[in-house]
Amino acid sequence: MDKIVVKFLKPHGIYTPGDIAGFDESHVERLEKLAKSEVVELYKADKADEGGDANKRQGNTGRRGAAGEAN
């Protein structure tokens, strides 16, 4: 069963703006209503979002210096 992946643009239930969630096709009618209200938009992953470690993409290695400061 395919998933419909959306990005939330406005708060809705447990979701906050920027959240990405996948729903079964049985939710298509509800998602269409939310899209018309500009609460969600269809989400398509680009190269930066595919796989890998989020910290590496953001340049954070997680290592700290001798005094405990972030590098």
Side-chain angles (χ1 to χ4, degrees), residues 7-24:
K7 180 176 182 179
F8 283 82
L9 306 174
K10 297 179 182 177
H12 182 75
I14 63 170
Y15 302 101
T16 59
D19 284 350
I20 298 169
F23 297 91
D24 291 332

Side-chain angles (χ1 to χ4, degrees), residues 6-65:
V6 296
K7 180 176 182 179
F8 283 82
L9 306 174
K10 297 179 182 177
H12 182 75
I14 63 170
Y15 302 101
T16 59
D19 284 350
I20 298 169
F23 297 91
D24 291 332
E25 292 176 349
S26 62
H27 296 275
V28 71
E29 287 182 25
R30 179 73 177 137
L31 293 172
E32 286 175 348
K33 289 179 185 177
L34 291 174
K36 286 181 184 177
S37 300
E38 297 181 356
V39 174
V40 300
E41 67 181 5
L42 282 178
Y43 179 78
K44 303 244 185 217
D46 61 13
K47 291 275 185 189
D49 293 331
E50 292 178 2
D53 181 25
N55 288 333
K56 288 182 183 176
R57 286 196 306 272
Q58 296 174 6
N60 182 1
T61 62
R63 293 186 228 156
R64 300 199 174 266

